[in-house]
Amino acid sequence: MRAADLPLYYNAVDILERNLPERADKVALYSDERTVTFAQMSSAVNQVGNGLRGLGVGHGDHVVVLSLDGPDWVAAFFGTLKIGAVAASLNTLLTAREYAYIFRDCRASVAFVHAMILPKILEVRAELPHLRHIVVIGGPTDPAAGVVGFREWIVDKPTMLEAEATHREDICCLNYSSGTTGEPKGILHAHKDLPLTAQLWGVNVLGLRESDRTFAVAKLFFTFGTGGNLIFPWYVGASIVLYPGPPAAAANVLRHIEQYRPTILYNAPTGYSMLLAMDDLTTAHDLSSLRLCVSAGESLPAPIWHAWKERTGLDIIDGIGSTENYHIFLSNRPGDIRPGSSGKPFDGYGLRIVDEGGDDVPPGEVGNLLVRGETASLAYLHQYARSQQTFLGEWLNTGDKYRVDADGYYWHCGRSDDMLKVGGIWVSPVEVESALLGHEAVLECAVIGQADERDLVKPKAFVVVREGFEAGEALERALIAHCRDHMAEYKRPRWIVFVPGLPKTATGKIQRFRLRNLG
Ligand code: 3UK
């Protein structure tokens, strides 16, 4: 499928409404809060759209959606799209300062904000001249605070609404992605990108079907979650399970799987490793509804893949995606998995691995991964210089180091800024981490480069020890010996620092750059 196969005037509310003729009364969404059918969701979306128009929101305006995962998040999102406005779905874990920056950057006049996050927005509201209305999800109208409750706000709005005839290339959503340095980057996507990613990866690679039920530990504000746990399943008429809690609450994650019986699970590698740390994962919990698991966000080390397979019998499909491409653009696929790799290219995306001068590297060598495809964003909002470094005409610079093996599988070798050269040879921190994770005492770890006494960079590991093992010199020696046995010797970490936890982004990625400032 190509963008040109979509109607010229296409509104991505189609992803929801295409289900109305044949399955209006099917449950579209399961959550502790309530279950919602496609017809009920469509009515709520129309009420939101009418409500937004009443507040003066129109084509191209940004509307903030800042809420925990639940039915109202979805209604706010599609209601915004339906009137041709742009949904800026924000990470729920940012600081008041970061929200102030983002609200000003996107000039939202209306924001849907969850009651639990509201205090942070009220704290900086005086600095947000464009913000005229706050609709509170999960809370009541409060005239003193100048906010209106979502339920009360939509109740009297008409349930019928004509969709805005948006161009398929009109922008429909905005996500902010934090870089290693600098302000967050606003990444814009068009209506066309939603059905395209749904077809190219969700259907063609993952094999989603109407009978599926998806569940993501990743949240809807992250396009890994929006695509995987909303857009793709609804595109094929499947149902979704939403969970508002934190990814780290393993018991609650498992309870959702047992109660709502999803067939597909989306998680980050750290999420799988956290579940694997539970001794009673498979004895006390029923995972039998699952048929397939997906991992993205960072590379999934082969030991985790094998442990998950051994304990649950389930395959994990690891694919690399990015907010810039909306979703996964290089992936393993059911029946064709090489554990530890990101799989192979698939129809819809072209890939190149190039050296610093932009020339293709010989097969097998590590280089910078460029990707070409029709779902790429065009630029970072208001960030000309950074846009120029990333969006190189038809190619997009992923910032990732990759190599291809003799069988055509792509192996992630870290970020451009994380790669190490040891003795003149590239060492991927990911590979060292993978070796360490193969040792039973290691729960989590991260490897960075550290200059030795001769100012030559060597790998250094930060390790979180699994319960029941003791951090100390003996374990340090054992881990280094383990790495010696499992990798080329020069790749072994020269120092091991035991830490209680690793710094991570809100989306669960380990922030190696922050470790560089630690001891
Ligand atoms: C890294 C991976 C190795 C890689 C994302 C699936 O992660 C997502 O988007 P972000 O914009 O980050 C993109 C960067 O994260 N990465 C992601 N997945 C993998 N590295 N193996 C992987 N499987 O550095 C990439 O450039 O936060 C993932 C779907 C949608 C997404 N937005």
Side-chain angles (χ1 to χ4, degrees):
M1 181 164 123
R2 314 247 326 157
D5 297 331
L6 292 165
L8 190 62
Y9 288 89
Y10 173 84
N11 188 311
V13 76
D14 158 63
I15 303 272
L16 161 67
E17 294 180 348
R18 58 170 51 211
N19 293 294
L20 297 178
E22 290 193 5
R23 54 186 87 82
D25 297 325
K26 174 175 174 172
V27 173
L29 183 163
Y30 294 85
S31 69
D32 284 356
E33 204 179 320
R34 61 185 190 276
T35 59
V36 185
T37 65
F38 283 111
Q40 289 166 335
M41 183 53 75
S42 171
S43 294
V45 163
N46 291 345
Q47 290 179 306
V48 168
N50 283 315
L52 287 172
R53 279 200 177 143
L55 296 179
V57 176
H59 187 274
D61 293 337
H62 291 139
V63 173
V64 162
V65 180
L66 173 51
S67 183
L68 307 183
D69 285 11
D72 298 343
W73 193 105
V74 178
F77 179 81
F78 277 118
T80 300
L81 267 58
K82 188 159 183 179
I83 62 162
V86 178
S89 20
L90 305 191
N91 184 332
T92 55
L93 301 171
L94 302 182
T95 63
R97 280 284 110 235
E98 289 169 304
Y99 288 129
Y101 172 82
I102 291 174
F103 274 65
R104 293 183 71 111
D105 190 50
C106 74
R107 293 175 162 251
S109 62
V110 180
F112 295 93
V113 181
H114 194 275
M116 281 168 53
I117 309 163
L118 185 61
K120 283 188 191 166
I121 302 305
L122 295 180
E123 195 185 317
V124 292
R125 190 172 190 174
E127 300 169 38
L128 309 175
H130 315 291
L131 182 63
R132 286 183 284 117
H133 306 279
I134 296 178
V135 182
V136 183
I137 291 178
T141 297
D142 180 355
V147 302
V148 51
F150 182 87
R151 300 264 120 225
E152 294 142 273
W153 180 65
I154 67 166
V155 70
D156 61 347
K157 303 292 182 291
T159 55
M160 301 299 286
L161 171 69
E162 190 79 24
E164 180 80 12
T166 46
H167 194 285
R168 65 190 175 210
E169 298 204 40
D170 274 331
I171 298 302
C172 77
C173 60
L174 169 62
N175 288 82
Y176 281 86
S177 177
S178 48
T180 42
T181 54
E183 300 292 3
K185 301 168 286 189
I187 300 175
L188 299 154
H189 279 283
H191 287 267
K192 73 178 190 345
D193 300 339
L194 279 52
L196 273 175
T197 47
Q199 181 67 44
L200 295 176
W201 183 80
V203 175
N204 297 356
V205 175
L206 191 64
L208 275 178
R209 42 194 188 231
E210 187 188 347
S211 56
D212 275 319
R213 194 177 287 181
T214 62
F215 175 52
V217 178
K219 298 293 158 201
L220 288 174
F221 64 72
F222 185 28
T223 64
F224 179 36
T226 347
N229 205 28
L230 176 62
I231 305 301
F232 306 170
W234 284 9
Y235 178 79
V236 299
S239 311
I240 65 176
V241 179
L242 295 183
Y243 158 60
N252 221 350
V253 167
L254 287 167
R255 202 259 300 156
H256 273 74
I257 296 176
E258 294 184 67
Q259 186 169 339
Y260 299 111
R261 303 195 60 75
T263 58
I264 311 269
L265 172 68
Y266 298 90
N267 212 339
T270 49
Y272 289 107
S273 120
M274 186 188 73
L275 294 176
L276 284 167
M278 301 173 70
D279 287 336
D280 63 356
L281 174 67
T282 49
T283 47
H285 299 282
D286 177 10
L287 305 180
S288 64
S289 65
L290 294 172
R291 70 176 181 91
L292 208 50
C293 301
V294 177
S295 175
E298 60 184 314
S299 68
L300 178 73
I304 297 182
W305 192 96
H306 288 292
W308 186 258
K309 176 78 174 174
E310 199 181 301
R311 298 272 297 278
T312 68
L314 291 161
D315 286 346
I316 303 180
I317 304 297
D318 183 9
I320 174 173
S322 68
T323 311
E324 285 83 347
N325 282 293
Y326 197 72
H327 215 266
I328 290 174
F329 54 85
L330 163 63
S331 184
N332 285 281
R333 54 171 70 217
D336 185 9
I337 300 173
R338 177 134 320 171
S341 84
S342 304
K344 290 179 173 174
F346 58 88
D347 193 37
Y349 297 94
L351 299 172
R352 283 177 69 197
I353 299 180
V354 300
D355 62 21
E356 298 308 318
D359 295 320
D360 293 271
V361 302
E365 276 187 25
V366 175
N368 300 312
L369 184 72
L370 306 185
V371 54
R372 171 176 65 185
E374 288 190 310
T375 69
S377 177
L378 297 175
Y380 296 126
L381 182 64
H382 304 151
Q383 300 206 30
Y384 185 83
R386 281 161 107 187
S387 299
Q388 284 200 315
Q389 289 160 12
T390 299
F391 305 97
L392 317 173
E394 64 176 340
W395 293 96
L396 185 153
N397 182 7
T398 63
D400 293 295
K401 297 280 182 187
Y402 264 87
R403 70 177 169 83
V404 189
D405 68 19
D407 299 323
Y409 294 93
Y410 282 63
W411 293 79
H412 189 252
C413 303
R415 296 282 307 169
S416 327
D417 41 8
D418 281 331
M419 276 300 280
L420 318 177
K421 267 209 168 169
V422 180
I425 313 168
W426 284 116
V427 172
S428 156
V430 180
E431 191 188 348
V432 185
E433 288 161 13
S434 184
L436 282 166
L437 283 168
H439 191 283
E440 55 177 0
V442 178
L443 178 65
E444 280 189 314
C445 65
V447 170
I448 59 165
Q450 156 105 29
D452 67 11
E453 69 284 1
R454 288 184 299 162
D455 224 15
L456 294 169
V457 170
K458 296 283 184 299
K460 172 175 183 174
F462 291 81
V463 168
V464 182
V465 173
R466 195 182 294 281
E467 226 177 280
F469 291 87
E470 210 187 314
E473 261 176 47
L475 183 58
E476 179 173 3
R477 275 195 303 273
L479 291 179
I480 292 174
H482 173 85
C483 288
R484 266 207 174 96
D485 292 341
H486 288 82
M487 283 180 315
E489 196 181 2
Y490 69 88
K491 296 180 178 175
R492 76 189 183 284
R494 308 305 198 272
W495 312 269
I496 290 188
V497 182
F498 295 104
V499 287
L502 296 170
K504 287 185 194 150
T505 65
T507 48
K509 270 197 257 299
I510 293 168
Q511 296 171 304
R512 292 194 189 81
F513 71 97
R514 285 181 52 193
L515 291 168
R516 294 199 189 106
N517 307 322
L518 290 177

